[in-house]
Amino acid sequence: MWNEEMRSKLQLYFIMGSTNCKQDPEKVLLDAIDGGITMFQFREKGEGALTGTEKINLAQKLQHLCKEHAIPFIVNDDIELALALNADGVHIGQDDEDASTVRKKLGEGKIVGVSAHALMEVKKAIADGADYIGAGPIYPTRTKADAEPVKGTSLIEEVRKTGIRIPIVGIGGINEGNASAVIDAGADGVSVITAISLAADVFERSSALKKAVAGISE
Ligand code: TPS
């Protein structure tokens, strides 16, 4: 699904779980949706993360909000949860199963995204049938404990220079101040956690990010 629809869904891709929020996660997601996010990933990870039925219940509530606003709901890593909820897709990292296996498990018409940190990983993800790439970390991030070394925008530039057209989002330390550099490097969008999830005004910050991605200065 390397089409314009996928690219536009990636414009402002918000990722979140309960551990990334200081307020009620449902309120955070709703304000972010109002601010203009175009895709959502449920990522329930880290110290204090919910498990079992609590995790499923939160996922269901957030999925419901996404459905009401026609925002694709993607699950991080957890294929069983994605299947149980009939989520729109799954995002996987380099340590997970490959995209082709995940797609077989999910069935037709689902979105499969892959994190990549080098050109070789991008090529493998494409061969495995990935729908999009999460490239990063672009800038320093404290949100992912096992993050790879910072790449700047060079990986995205390198991928585009080779003529590879797969949809890409940049991720890692992105905010409204540096988002446009990521788009200029050749990304279709940006993916953020804390720039939105920890914002004092989630609506304001997501609207500002959306404008930065769309190239409209305030
Ligand atoms: C689309 N990942 C790389 S850096 C990071 C995460 C979760 C933390 C960003 O937090 N691409 C996609 N989804 C993923 N889960 C990853 C990559 C992995 P912050 O914005 O607070 O710096």
Side-chain angles (χ1 to χ4, degrees):
M1 181 161 89
W2 290 12
N3 50 30
E4 289 315 307
E5 193 190 343
M6 185 77 250
R7 287 184 207 286
S8 74
K9 298 259 181 250
L10 291 176
Q11 267 202 328
L12 182 53
Y13 184 3
F14 179 40
I15 303 175
M16 182 199 82
S18 64
T19 64
N20 306 119
C21 299
K22 284 188 184 151
Q23 318 170 52
D24 172 19
E26 282 181 273
K27 160 118 178 75
V28 172
L29 178 56
L30 199 52
D31 288 350
I33 290 173
D34 286 344
I37 65 162
T38 50
M39 187 141 113
F40 176 69
Q41 182 187 127
F42 178 64
R43 180 177 179 272
E44 187 62 25
K45 272 200 175 163
E47 222 186 290
L50 302 176
T51 55
T53 33
E54 280 187 329
K55 179 180 174 183
I56 296 169
N57 287 345
L58 176 60
Q60 261 172 336
K61 286 181 195 163
L62 300 179
Q63 182 185 30
H64 181 71
L65 291 177
C66 285
K67 269 199 180 145
E68 276 185 338
H69 296 88
I71 303 288
F73 177 87
I74 308 295
V75 173
N76 182 274
D77 281 358
D78 191 338
I79 292 148
E80 257 179 52
L81 178 64
L83 281 171
L85 297 180
N86 190 23
D88 299 302
V90 164
H91 184 91
I92 51 174
Q94 288 294 319
D95 299 333
D96 303 311
E97 294 172 295
D98 42 48
S100 51
T101 312
V102 172
R103 188 180 299 288
K104 264 183 220 138
K105 289 185 181 174
L106 287 184
E108 284 300 304
K110 300 296 184 186
I111 298 169
V112 180
V114 178
S115 297
H117 322 95
L119 183 59
M120 245 177 49
E121 292 175 354
V122 173
K123 287 183 173 166
K124 170 149 192 336
I126 292 170
D128 290 339
D131 291 303
Y132 74 86
I133 298 290
I138 310 282
Y139 304 113
T141 176
R142 279 193 281 167
T143 315
K144 186 171 160 62
D146 57 348
E148 295 275 319
V150 167
K151 299 284 177 309
T153 54
S154 62
L155 173 61
I156 298 172
E157 281 151 16
E158 188 187 1
V159 170
R160 290 308 187 218
K161 245 178 234 159
T162 63
I164 291 172
R165 292 200 22 86
I166 190 166
I168 299 177
V169 277
I171 183 164
I174 297 175
N175 54 47
E176 67 212 64
N178 58 27
S180 63
V182 180
I183 302 300
D184 290 347
D188 299 284
V190 298
S191 190
V192 306
I193 301 182
T194 49
I196 292 180
S197 75
L198 293 182
D201 189 329
V202 169
F203 170 77
E204 275 289 324
R205 292 279 70 73
S206 33
S207 320
L209 259 162
K210 183 73 176 284
K211 283 182 188 161
V213 170
I216 306 160
S217 53
E218 281 186 289

